[in-house]
Amino acid sequence: SMATAARGAWLRASGCRAAAGSVRLPQAQHDAFACSPGRLRSHASAAAAPPPRQLLFTPGPLTTSDAVKRRMAVDVGSRDGDFLTVAKRTRERLLRIAETSQEDGYECILMQGAGSMALEAMLGSSIPRQGGKLLIVSNGSYGERQEKICERAGIPFVAARHPWNAPVTAEMVSALLDKHSAEGITHVSMVHHETTAGVLNAVEQVGGMLRSRHPQLKFIVDSISSFGAYRLPARAWNVHYLAGSGNKCIEGVPGFAFVIAHRDSLLEVEGCSRSLALDLQDQWRFMEKSGQFRFTPPTQSILGFDQALDEWDEEGGLEGRAGRYRENYNILADGMQALGFQFFVQDAASRGFIITTFQVPESQKEKWDFNRFYDLLKESGFVIYPASLPPATASGVAAFRVGNIGQLFPPDVRAFLVEVTKVLQDMGFSVPLK
């Protein structure tokens, strides 16, 4: 297709070999996990034709490279030495992305499951059972999810909810700590990039404020949707715990998540976990002793992530990955605005480049049919995301979200805009929307 040809031209022009799915593995890695074509041929010949390729304009799971998919097409033992080498290397590489190391006093703990499992493990294993209390500062549903985790786990907390279309700032958190100074707050948590509306929060400034004004407090960050595309130097920003996921900006697949933790902070509350499977300290000690997971790991997901990390490096690390995502976002934002859509987050400086919430003009709201819009785009190979809006406004706003991450490139975004135009016309709208 024209979009595919344009995509290939962009990749060649940018020198982005990883994105094209052509990264070569180091020979030792390749040999360790090579498939025998002969062994697979009988199964492959009987398999159905693969489904048409879809581009996921979502915040994860997302579109992955062919090389990542190929890397997962093997079976490997969970206690096999080659797999354990990959798991160990993954932990070290994730620490480097967080601009820290074990020598700096930080640890990376891999956890089976989705990002929310790492988040629950992090909260449940960091707040002491005696005398611990968490201040949760939120501006979206993912911040509010922390409240639900604490309620289920019996963790004392204070919830401070803010508007979903504006960032959490250091001034807000400082005022909250003054307000609740007599309530025994020991930990502060927030989301780095709030995927609900696509807002980037001021983690660096909050961490600095805590270091200078409240050095006794521990700082917890949900960086699940931002890690690998936005800087988050744990030590420099005074972050004691952060959670991330394999299927976001590193461009792996679902199956595991991770927590990067300040070792002394982690060990001084050892034994406080509210869960067996989500016990961070137990998981860390077992990995340090044996290199293994306590329970069955998602082996293929971790192999694919190792390849995704190679591609992240090949693209230029954080600078290269963020640069592509930012270019995707700029093309998308300009194009959707030209089509008449409006931004739920009106302040451009507050919007992140991970995902964007678009609103349909008020005059077109009664005619709008999101399900039809979604289905028509999907028929053409483009998958978008429903809106997630505050309950008070959700019923009165016609909106949806479009992501910019994963194996999406500027030609893909331009092709998406062409298709959105066609779909709007098929739905009977005049373009641009008025």
Short mmCIF file of all heavy atoms in Angstrom, two decimals, residues 1-3 55 57 332 335-336 339 341 368 372-384 400 402 410-429 431:
data_model
loop_
_atom_site.label_atom_id
_atom_site.label_comp_id
_atom_site.label_asym_id
_atom_site.label_seq_id
_atom_site.Cartn_x
_atom_site.Cartn_y
_atom_site.Cartn_z
N SER A 1 0.83 -1.18 0.00
CA SER A 1 0.00 0.00 0.00
C SER A 1 0.87 1.24 0.00
O SER A 1 2.06 1.19 0.29
CB SER A 1 -0.91 0.02 1.22
OG SER A 1 -0.13 0.23 2.37
N MET A 2 0.25 2.39 -0.32
CA MET A 2 0.99 3.65 -0.31
C MET A 2 1.52 3.96 1.08
O MET A 2 2.64 4.43 1.24
CB MET A 2 0.09 4.78 -0.80
CG MET A 2 -0.28 4.70 -2.27
SD MET A 2 -1.38 6.05 -2.75
CE MET A 2 -0.33 7.47 -2.42
N ALA A 3 0.70 3.65 2.12
CA ALA A 3 1.14 3.92 3.49
C ALA A 3 2.36 3.09 3.84
O ALA A 3 3.30 3.56 4.47
CB ALA A 3 0.00 3.64 4.47
N LEU A 55 -2.80 -1.53 12.87
CA LEU A 55 -1.97 -0.57 13.59
C LEU A 55 -2.74 -0.12 14.81
O LEU A 55 -3.87 0.37 14.70
CB LEU A 55 -1.62 0.62 12.70
CG LEU A 55 -0.71 0.31 11.51
CD1 LEU A 55 -0.51 1.56 10.65
CD2 LEU A 55 0.64 -0.22 11.98
N PHE A 57 -3.37 2.35 17.53
CA PHE A 57 -3.20 3.72 18.02
C PHE A 57 -3.75 3.77 19.44
O PHE A 57 -4.71 4.46 19.74
CB PHE A 57 -3.91 4.71 17.09
CG PHE A 57 -3.19 4.96 15.79
CD1 PHE A 57 -3.18 4.02 14.78
CD2 PHE A 57 -2.51 6.15 15.58
CE1 PHE A 57 -2.51 4.24 13.58
CE2 PHE A 57 -1.83 6.39 14.39
CZ PHE A 57 -1.83 5.44 13.40
N LEU A 332 -0.32 14.22 14.38
CA LEU A 332 -1.68 13.85 14.78
C LEU A 332 -2.45 15.06 15.30
O LEU A 332 -3.60 15.31 14.89
CB LEU A 332 -1.62 12.77 15.85
CG LEU A 332 -2.98 12.32 16.41
CD1 LEU A 332 -3.72 11.47 15.39
CD2 LEU A 332 -2.80 11.54 17.71
N GLY A 335 -3.27 17.51 12.53
CA GLY A 335 -4.24 16.95 11.59
C GLY A 335 -5.64 16.84 12.17
O GLY A 335 -6.63 17.17 11.50
N MET A 336 -5.75 16.39 13.41
CA MET A 336 -7.06 16.25 14.03
C MET A 336 -7.70 17.61 14.28
O MET A 336 -8.91 17.79 14.14
CB MET A 336 -6.94 15.45 15.33
CG MET A 336 -6.53 14.00 15.13
SD MET A 336 -7.75 12.99 14.23
CE MET A 336 -8.85 12.57 15.59
N LEU A 339 -9.19 18.83 11.21
CA LEU A 339 -10.45 18.14 10.90
C LEU A 339 -11.60 18.63 11.78
O LEU A 339 -12.73 18.19 11.59
CB LEU A 339 -10.27 16.63 11.08
CG LEU A 339 -9.40 15.93 10.03
CD1 LEU A 339 -9.14 14.48 10.41
CD2 LEU A 339 -10.07 16.00 8.65
N PHE A 341 -11.66 18.49 15.30
CA PHE A 341 -11.72 17.94 16.65
C PHE A 341 -11.08 18.91 17.64
O PHE A 341 -10.22 19.72 17.28
CB PHE A 341 -11.00 16.58 16.70
CG PHE A 341 -11.71 15.49 15.95
CD1 PHE A 341 -11.25 15.07 14.71
CD2 PHE A 341 -12.85 14.90 16.47
CE1 PHE A 341 -11.91 14.07 14.01
CE2 PHE A 341 -13.52 13.89 15.78
CZ PHE A 341 -13.04 13.48 14.54
N TRP A 368 -23.01 12.02 16.73
CA TRP A 368 -21.80 11.22 16.86
C TRP A 368 -22.10 9.79 17.31
O TRP A 368 -22.92 9.56 18.19
CB TRP A 368 -20.84 11.86 17.87
CG TRP A 368 -19.54 11.13 18.01
CD1 TRP A 368 -19.12 10.38 19.07
CD2 TRP A 368 -18.48 11.09 17.06
NE1 TRP A 368 -17.88 9.88 18.85
CE2 TRP A 368 -17.45 10.30 17.60
CE3 TRP A 368 -18.30 11.65 15.79
CZ2 TRP A 368 -16.26 10.04 16.93
CZ3 TRP A 368 -17.12 11.41 15.12
CH2 TRP A 368 -16.11 10.61 15.68
N ARG A 372 -19.54 3.22 15.64
CA ARG A 372 -19.43 3.16 14.18
C ARG A 372 -18.09 3.74 13.73
O ARG A 372 -17.43 3.20 12.83
CB ARG A 372 -20.59 3.90 13.52
CG ARG A 372 -20.57 3.72 12.00
CD ARG A 372 -21.89 4.10 11.34
NE ARG A 372 -21.79 3.87 9.91
CZ ARG A 372 -22.02 4.76 8.97
NH1 ARG A 372 -22.42 5.98 9.33
NH2 ARG A 372 -21.90 4.48 7.70
N PHE A 373 -17.68 4.84 14.33
CA PHE A 373 -16.40 5.46 14.01
C PHE A 373 -15.27 4.46 14.26
O PHE A 373 -14.39 4.26 13.40
CB PHE A 373 -16.22 6.70 14.90
CG PHE A 373 -14.97 7.49 14.67
CD1 PHE A 373 -14.76 8.17 13.47
CD2 PHE A 373 -14.00 7.59 15.66
CE1 PHE A 373 -13.61 8.92 13.27
CE2 PHE A 373 -12.85 8.35 15.47
CZ PHE A 373 -12.65 9.00 14.26
N TYR A 374 -15.31 3.78 15.38
CA TYR A 374 -14.30 2.79 15.74
C TYR A 374 -14.29 1.64 14.72
O TYR A 374 -13.23 1.24 14.21
CB TYR A 374 -14.59 2.25 17.14
CG TYR A 374 -13.62 1.19 17.63
CD1 TYR A 374 -12.54 1.54 18.44
CD2 TYR A 374 -13.79 -0.15 17.27
CE1 TYR A 374 -11.65 0.56 18.89
CE2 TYR A 374 -12.90 -1.12 17.70
CZ TYR A 374 -11.83 -0.76 18.50
OH TYR A 374 -10.95 -1.72 18.93
N ASP A 375 -15.47 1.10 14.42
CA ASP A 375 -15.56 -0.06 13.54
C ASP A 375 -15.08 0.26 12.13
O ASP A 375 -14.39 -0.55 11.49
CB ASP A 375 -16.99 -0.59 13.50
CG ASP A 375 -17.41 -1.24 14.81
OD1 ASP A 375 -16.52 -1.59 15.61
OD2 ASP A 375 -18.63 -1.39 15.04
N LEU A 376 -15.44 1.43 11.63
CA LEU A 376 -15.01 1.80 10.28
C LEU A 376 -13.50 1.98 10.21
O LEU A 376 -12.87 1.58 9.22
CB LEU A 376 -15.73 3.07 9.83
CG LEU A 376 -17.23 2.92 9.51
CD1 LEU A 376 -17.87 4.28 9.27
CD2 LEU A 376 -17.44 2.00 8.31
N LEU A 377 -12.92 2.58 11.24
CA LEU A 377 -11.46 2.70 11.26
C LEU A 377 -10.80 1.33 11.36
O LEU A 377 -9.80 1.05 10.68
CB LEU A 377 -11.03 3.58 12.43
CG LEU A 377 -11.21 5.09 12.26
CD1 LEU A 377 -10.90 5.81 13.57
CD2 LEU A 377 -10.31 5.62 11.15
N LYS A 378 -11.37 0.46 12.18
CA LYS A 378 -10.78 -0.87 12.34
C LYS A 378 -10.83 -1.65 11.03
O LYS A 378 -9.89 -2.40 10.72
CB LYS A 378 -11.52 -1.63 13.44
CG LYS A 378 -10.93 -3.00 13.72
CD LYS A 378 -11.68 -3.74 14.81
CE LYS A 378 -11.12 -5.14 15.00
NZ LYS A 378 -11.88 -5.91 16.01
N GLU A 379 -11.90 -1.50 10.26
CA GLU A 379 -11.99 -2.19 8.98
C GLU A 379 -10.85 -1.81 8.05
O GLU A 379 -10.45 -2.59 7.18
CB GLU A 379 -13.34 -1.88 8.31
CG GLU A 379 -14.53 -2.57 8.94
CD GLU A 379 -15.85 -2.12 8.32
OE1 GLU A 379 -15.80 -1.46 7.26
OE2 GLU A 379 -16.90 -2.45 8.89
N SER A 380 -10.32 -0.61 8.24
CA SER A 380 -9.20 -0.14 7.42
C SER A 380 -7.85 -0.38 8.10
O SER A 380 -6.82 0.06 7.59
CB SER A 380 -9.37 1.35 7.12
OG SER A 380 -10.55 1.58 6.40
N GLY A 381 -7.85 -1.06 9.24
CA GLY A 381 -6.60 -1.44 9.88
C GLY A 381 -6.10 -0.49 10.95
O GLY A 381 -4.94 -0.57 11.35
N PHE A 382 -6.97 0.40 11.44
CA PHE A 382 -6.56 1.36 12.47
C PHE A 382 -7.42 1.15 13.71
O PHE A 382 -8.65 1.26 13.64
CB PHE A 382 -6.72 2.80 11.97
CG PHE A 382 -5.91 3.11 10.75
CD1 PHE A 382 -6.49 3.07 9.49
CD2 PHE A 382 -4.57 3.45 10.85
CE1 PHE A 382 -5.75 3.36 8.35
CE2 PHE A 382 -3.81 3.75 9.72
CZ PHE A 382 -4.40 3.70 8.46
N VAL A 383 -6.78 0.89 14.85
CA VAL A 383 -7.50 0.65 16.10
C VAL A 383 -7.23 1.79 17.06
O VAL A 383 -6.07 2.10 17.36
CB VAL A 383 -7.08 -0.69 16.73
CG1 VAL A 383 -7.77 -0.89 18.08
CG2 VAL A 383 -7.40 -1.85 15.79
N ILE A 384 -8.30 2.44 17.55
CA ILE A 384 -8.17 3.55 18.49
C ILE A 384 -8.67 3.13 19.86
O ILE A 384 -8.88 1.94 20.11
CB ILE A 384 -8.89 4.82 17.98
CG1 ILE A 384 -10.39 4.55 17.81
CG2 ILE A 384 -8.27 5.30 16.68
CD1 ILE A 384 -11.21 5.80 17.52
N PHE A 400 -12.84 10.50 22.40
CA PHE A 400 -12.11 9.24 22.21
C PHE A 400 -10.63 9.56 22.34
O PHE A 400 -10.22 10.73 22.38
CB PHE A 400 -12.41 8.62 20.84
CG PHE A 400 -12.13 9.54 19.68
CD1 PHE A 400 -10.89 9.52 19.03
CD2 PHE A 400 -13.09 10.44 19.24
CE1 PHE A 400 -10.63 10.38 17.97
CE2 PHE A 400 -12.83 11.30 18.18
CZ PHE A 400 -11.60 11.27 17.55
N VAL A 402 -6.48 8.68 21.07
CA VAL A 402 -5.60 8.17 20.02
C VAL A 402 -4.17 8.16 20.56
O VAL A 402 -3.68 9.19 21.03
CB VAL A 402 -5.66 9.02 18.74
CG1 VAL A 402 -4.78 8.41 17.64
CG2 VAL A 402 -7.11 9.14 18.24
N PRO A 410 5.64 8.38 11.35
CA PRO A 410 4.92 9.50 10.73
C PRO A 410 4.06 9.12 9.52
O PRO A 410 2.91 9.58 9.44
CB PRO A 410 6.05 10.47 10.38
CG PRO A 410 7.04 10.26 11.47
CD PRO A 410 7.03 8.78 11.73
N PRO A 411 4.52 8.27 8.59
CA PRO A 411 3.63 7.89 7.49
C PRO A 411 2.36 7.16 7.95
O PRO A 411 1.30 7.31 7.34
CB PRO A 411 4.50 6.96 6.63
CG PRO A 411 5.90 7.38 6.93
CD PRO A 411 5.88 7.75 8.39
N ASP A 412 2.47 6.39 9.05
CA ASP A 412 1.28 5.72 9.60
C ASP A 412 0.28 6.74 10.11
O ASP A 412 -0.94 6.57 9.94
CB ASP A 412 1.67 4.79 10.74
CG ASP A 412 2.64 3.69 10.31
OD1 ASP A 412 2.47 3.17 9.21
OD2 ASP A 412 3.56 3.39 11.09
N VAL A 413 0.78 7.78 10.78
CA VAL A 413 -0.12 8.80 11.33
C VAL A 413 -0.79 9.56 10.19
O VAL A 413 -2.00 9.86 10.25
CB VAL A 413 0.65 9.76 12.26
CG1 VAL A 413 -0.30 10.79 12.86
CG2 VAL A 413 1.36 8.98 13.37
N ARG A 414 -0.05 9.87 9.14
CA ARG A 414 -0.66 10.58 8.00
C ARG A 414 -1.71 9.69 7.33
O ARG A 414 -2.78 10.18 6.94
CB ARG A 414 0.43 10.99 7.00
CG ARG A 414 1.40 12.03 7.57
CD ARG A 414 2.36 12.55 6.50
NE ARG A 414 3.31 13.49 7.10
CZ ARG A 414 4.56 13.17 7.47
NH1 ARG A 414 5.00 11.93 7.27
NH2 ARG A 414 5.35 14.07 8.01
N ALA A 415 -1.42 8.41 7.20
CA ALA A 415 -2.42 7.49 6.63
C ALA A 415 -3.66 7.41 7.52
O ALA A 415 -4.79 7.34 7.02
CB ALA A 415 -1.80 6.10 6.45
N PHE A 416 -3.45 7.43 8.83
CA PHE A 416 -4.57 7.43 9.76
C PHE A 416 -5.45 8.66 9.56
O PHE A 416 -6.69 8.55 9.52
CB PHE A 416 -4.02 7.39 11.20
CG PHE A 416 -5.05 7.59 12.27
CD1 PHE A 416 -5.91 6.56 12.64
CD2 PHE A 416 -5.17 8.81 12.92
CE1 PHE A 416 -6.87 6.74 13.63
CE2 PHE A 416 -6.11 9.00 13.91
CZ PHE A 416 -6.96 7.96 14.27
N LEU A 417 -4.85 9.82 9.40
CA LEU A 417 -5.62 11.05 9.21
C LEU A 417 -6.42 11.01 7.92
O LEU A 417 -7.57 11.48 7.88
CB LEU A 417 -4.67 12.25 9.22
CG LEU A 417 -4.01 12.57 10.57
CD1 LEU A 417 -2.89 13.58 10.40
CD2 LEU A 417 -5.04 13.08 11.57
N VAL A 418 -5.84 10.44 6.87
CA VAL A 418 -6.59 10.28 5.61
C VAL A 418 -7.81 9.41 5.85
O VAL A 418 -8.92 9.71 5.37
CB VAL A 418 -5.67 9.68 4.53
CG1 VAL A 418 -6.49 9.27 3.30
CG2 VAL A 418 -4.58 10.67 4.13
N GLU A 419 -7.62 8.33 6.60
CA GLU A 419 -8.73 7.41 6.83
C GLU A 419 -9.79 8.03 7.74
O GLU A 419 -11.00 7.81 7.53
CB GLU A 419 -8.21 6.11 7.45
CG GLU A 419 -9.19 4.95 7.36
CD GLU A 419 -9.60 4.64 5.92
OE1 GLU A 419 -8.75 4.72 5.02
OE2 GLU A 419 -10.81 4.31 5.71
N VAL A 420 -9.38 8.81 8.73
CA VAL A 420 -10.35 9.50 9.59
C VAL A 420 -11.23 10.41 8.75
O VAL A 420 -12.45 10.48 8.93
CB VAL A 420 -9.64 10.30 10.71
CG1 VAL A 420 -10.63 11.22 11.43
CG2 VAL A 420 -9.00 9.34 11.71
N THR A 421 -10.62 11.11 7.80
CA THR A 421 -11.38 11.99 6.91
C THR A 421 -12.43 11.20 6.13
O THR A 421 -13.61 11.61 6.06
CB THR A 421 -10.43 12.71 5.93
OG1 THR A 421 -9.42 13.40 6.66
CG2 THR A 421 -11.19 13.69 5.05
N LYS A 422 -12.03 10.07 5.57
CA LYS A 422 -12.97 9.23 4.82
C LYS A 422 -14.09 8.71 5.70
O LYS A 422 -15.27 8.72 5.30
CB LYS A 422 -12.22 8.04 4.19
CG LYS A 422 -11.23 8.42 3.10
CD LYS A 422 -10.51 7.17 2.60
CE LYS A 422 -9.47 7.50 1.54
NZ LYS A 422 -8.70 6.29 1.13
N VAL A 423 -13.74 8.27 6.91
CA VAL A 423 -14.74 7.72 7.82
C VAL A 423 -15.75 8.80 8.22
O VAL A 423 -16.97 8.54 8.27
CB VAL A 423 -14.05 7.09 9.06
CG1 VAL A 423 -15.06 6.84 10.16
CG2 VAL A 423 -13.35 5.80 8.67
N LEU A 424 -15.28 9.98 8.52
CA LEU A 424 -16.21 11.07 8.86
C LEU A 424 -17.19 11.32 7.72
O LEU A 424 -18.39 11.51 7.94
CB LEU A 424 -15.43 12.34 9.18
CG LEU A 424 -14.64 12.36 10.50
CD1 LEU A 424 -13.80 13.62 10.60
CD2 LEU A 424 -15.57 12.25 11.71
N GLN A 425 -16.70 11.34 6.51
CA GLN A 425 -17.57 11.55 5.35
C GLN A 425 -18.55 10.40 5.18
O GLN A 425 -19.73 10.62 4.89
CB GLN A 425 -16.71 11.74 4.10
CG GLN A 425 -15.90 13.04 4.11
CD GLN A 425 -14.87 13.11 3.02
OE1 GLN A 425 -14.44 12.09 2.47
NE2 GLN A 425 -14.41 14.32 2.70
N ASP A 426 -18.08 9.16 5.41
CA ASP A 426 -18.97 8.00 5.33
C ASP A 426 -20.06 8.06 6.39
O ASP A 426 -21.17 7.54 6.20
CB ASP A 426 -18.18 6.69 5.50
CG ASP A 426 -17.29 6.39 4.30
OD1 ASP A 426 -17.50 7.02 3.22
OD2 ASP A 426 -16.41 5.52 4.42
N MET A 427 -19.76 8.71 7.50
CA MET A 427 -20.75 8.83 8.59
C MET A 427 -21.69 10.02 8.38
O MET A 427 -22.56 10.27 9.19
CB MET A 427 -20.01 8.98 9.93
CG MET A 427 -19.26 7.72 10.37
SD MET A 427 -18.27 7.97 11.89
CE MET A 427 -19.57 8.21 13.12
N GLY A 428 -21.47 10.75 7.29
CA GLY A 428 -22.38 11.86 6.96
C GLY A 428 -21.98 13.20 7.51
O GLY A 428 -22.79 14.14 7.50
N PHE A 429 -20.73 13.33 7.98
CA PHE A 429 -20.27 14.61 8.50
C PHE A 429 -19.63 15.44 7.39
O PHE A 429 -19.00 14.89 6.48
CB PHE A 429 -19.23 14.41 9.61
CG PHE A 429 -19.80 13.85 10.89
CD1 PHE A 429 -19.70 12.50 11.18
CD2 PHE A 429 -20.45 14.69 11.79
CE1 PHE A 429 -20.22 11.98 12.36
CE2 PHE A 429 -20.98 14.18 12.97
CZ PHE A 429 -20.87 12.82 13.25
N VAL A 431 -16.59 17.84 6.48
CA VAL A 431 -15.23 17.98 7.00
C VAL A 431 -14.65 19.31 6.50
O VAL A 431 -14.73 19.61 5.30
CB VAL A 431 -14.36 16.78 6.54
CG1 VAL A 431 -12.93 16.93 7.06
CG2 VAL A 431 -14.98 15.47 7.00
#
